[in-house]
Amino acid sequence: MIYNIKLRLLLLALLAVLLLSGCRNPFPNAAAKPFSKTSFLLGTIIEISIFDKHDETLMDKAFNRIWEIEKKMTINNAESSEIISLNKASGKNEVTLSPDTLFVLKKGKEYSEMSEGVFDITIGPVVKLWNIGTDYAAVPEKSKLAEAIKLVDYRKLRLNEDNHTAILEKPGMQVDLGAIAKGYAADEAARILKENGVKHAIINLGGNVITVGGNPNRKPWKIGIQNPFNPRGDFMGVVHIQDQTVVTSGTYERYFKENGKIYHHILNPNTGYPVENNLRSVSIITGKSIDGDGLSTTALLYGLEKGMKLVDSLENVEAVFITNDKKVYTSSGLKYIFTITNPEFKLEKLPSTGEPGR
Ligand code: ADP
Ligand code: MG
């Protein structure tokens, strides 16, 4: 049986927004009520809350920026976008792109290189076959997946920054920015608010949160970490941050069930099937949301041990890993800023990491 999860997700998200606007935030961040606006963009519910200004024009500017990024980079429900043009021209010609799209492609290539293709920004042909998040989601034929994975190769995405162009070298190749575009949009919205004098704000792109400054009481924000077993807006813990972002990738985000088996949206480019390890979600805490987005997807693909190693090797990057049996593993820098609030979840230590040699 195939579930219509898109509609269900939308309803759940709307419900979450209604609930949240009723009781604002389970972790009250400030006494003052913020100036907030909500919109549906980039396939998700986006809420911007500004705590120190009531400026409609600025609010619109931030939302317009997110809309602009969606328009350039979408491959869903749109007739055209820069990425659609790039994909259509695969194996044929170079395409001229805006600095925005080139930047996100460059970042996507960087994470592909760093992970040696475990994260691969050219995963498009495989994503297309699964149709996850649509009404037609179904397990593709094996032979079709085998053909599609042959087209996945970030090294054949060539960027020419001097000419502002890019080309996919093999016919049929397709870029999919689903893993990082939201992060970029979050960074851009935060930048616009900051450049216009906002000192205290929270931007939430469907659970991908970026904060501007600390809260109006000059303390860090308390940001909930999603309980990956419950609908959006139910938190299992809280992290104290300022001027940072929390980005979560989870196998529960988009999925469908067929013959009792769950198929989710984070795909192993070597097999074409959803990645199988014991991770339910990875939340990354870092400065830029685009990095949080790239790293949360990569860490989820890597699995717990390798994912934690990656996080520990990077400056200013922390993480919360949650397994399918509700075990929680955190990177060392989270010791004093992360608390579990739901006792169903248990903090564990990785035997191999112990106290890292630094
Ligand atoms: P979400 O969209 O739920 O925020 P992620 O940021 O983890 O989640 O991104 C998942 C999306 O990334 C998928 O929907 C797909 O578009 C894309 N994707 C899936 N597998 C890979 C992969 N191996 N490398 C790069 N992108 C991927
Ligand atoms: Mg991501």
Side-chain angles (χ1 to χ4, degrees):
M1 183 155 89
I2 297 166
Y3 285 52
N4 182 346
I5 61 157
K6 197 176 171 188
L7 186 67
R8 227 175 40 146
L9 271 179
L10 189 63
L11 288 174
L12 278 177
L14 280 173
L15 183 71
V17 167
L18 286 177
L19 285 175
L20 279 176
S21 50
C23 59
R24 283 266 20 105
N25 191 331
F27 304 107
N29 277 300
K33 205 170 173 284
F35 169 45
S36 297
K37 230 177 175 175
T38 302
S39 182
F40 194 85
L41 285 168
L42 286 166
T44 193
I45 301 234
I46 296 181
E47 187 181 39
I48 299 182
S49 300
I50 304 175
F51 288 75
D52 55 346
K53 257 181 203 247
H54 190 115
D55 184 338
E56 296 271 359
T57 317
L58 178 56
M59 185 65 100
D60 289 347
K61 207 169 158 184
F63 272 107
N64 276 336
R65 183 73 179 115
I66 298 172
W67 177 76
E68 195 175 76
I69 290 166
E70 171 171 31
K71 225 173 53 163
K72 287 176 179 175
M73 301 181 199
T74 186
I75 47 170
N76 302 315
N77 313 319
E79 308 225 312
S80 65
S81 75
E82 292 184 19
I83 296 297
I84 290 175
S85 304
L86 176 68
N87 289 345
K88 275 191 184 154
S90 63
K92 287 185 258 176
N93 53 282
E94 303 207 320
V95 173
T96 303
L97 300 169
S98 64
D100 277 334
T101 305
L102 268 174
F103 175 75
V104 177
L105 283 172
K106 194 171 135 192
K107 276 285 186 179
K109 238 186 115 117
E110 266 173 39
Y111 282 108
S112 309
E113 277 159 7
M114 185 199 73
S115 67
E116 294 177 331
V118 173
F119 178 106
D120 195 314
I121 202 65
T122 65
I123 191 88
V126 184
V127 175
K128 274 263 154 68
L129 280 182
W130 283 92
N131 284 311
I132 293 181
T134 75
D135 297 344
Y136 330 104
V139 180
E141 278 173 39
K142 251 198 174 114
S143 58
K144 286 201 173 148
L145 275 177
E147 283 306 305
I149 59 174
K150 286 190 207 151
L151 294 168
V152 180
D153 186 356
Y154 63 93
R155 290 164 298 194
K156 296 197 172 78
L157 163 65
R158 260 201 297 123
L159 306 179
N160 187 331
E161 285 187 81
D162 295 335
N163 297 343
H164 309 284
T165 60
I167 183 168
L168 290 161
E169 288 177 339
K170 209 167 156 183
M173 281 184 78
Q174 288 180 46
V175 156
D176 178 325
L177 297 181
I180 53 168
K182 252 196 294 176
Y184 181 61
D187 289 333
E188 283 300 289
R191 182 182 63 78
I192 285 171
L193 296 190
K194 272 192 223 167
E195 281 179 5
N196 287 277
V198 170
K199 298 269 185 302
H200 313 285
I202 297 184
I203 300 164
N204 187 343
L205 286 83
N208 176 344
V209 174
I210 188 160
T211 59
V212 173
N215 79 17
N217 304 327
R218 296 174 192 280
K219 295 244 170 67
W221 297 104
K222 296 174 183 175
I223 303 297
I225 300 285
Q226 174 66 34
N227 175 344
F229 297 89
N230 282 355
R232 192 169 283 168
D234 180 38
F235 304 128
M236 55 67 67
V238 57
V239 62
H240 294 69
I241 57 165
Q242 51 188 21
D243 268 322
Q244 277 189 309
T245 183
V246 181
V247 185
T248 302
S249 285
T251 59
Y252 61 92
E253 281 280 351
R254 287 170 208 257
Y255 65 90
F256 66 97
K257 250 184 185 175
E258 198 173 297
N259 297 326
K261 197 170 153 54
I262 282 181
Y263 296 90
H264 64 81
H265 71 317
I266 300 179
L267 304 164
N268 179 342
N270 291 318
T271 63
Y273 288 87
V275 67
E276 282 194 53
N277 55 45
N278 197 26
L279 288 179
R280 180 87 176 173
S281 71
V282 179
S283 300
I284 297 283
I285 295 104
T286 190
K288 290 261 180 261
S289 225
I290 192 166
D291 295 319
D293 215 351
L295 289 170
S296 60
T297 308
T298 306
L300 198 115
L301 284 156
Y302 270 6
L304 177 59
E305 276 82 10
K306 201 174 170 198
M308 189 65 89
K309 252 192 207 146
L310 169 67
V311 168
D312 279 339
S313 75
L314 300 167
E315 286 284 315
N316 184 30
V317 178
E318 302 296 339
V320 179
F321 290 73
I322 303 178
T323 64
N324 283 321
D325 44 0
K326 297 196 174 165
K327 289 183 180 150
V328 181
Y329 298 82
T330 58
S331 57
S332 48
L334 280 191
K335 215 171 186 172
Y336 302 108
I337 60 165
F338 169 71
T339 327
I340 292 180
T341 51
N342 179 336
E344 286 170 29
F345 291 84
K346 292 275 174 281
L347 193 62
E348 303 275 339
K349 256 204 159 102
L350 270 178
S352 53
T353 51
E355 271 309 305
R358 50 178 157 138

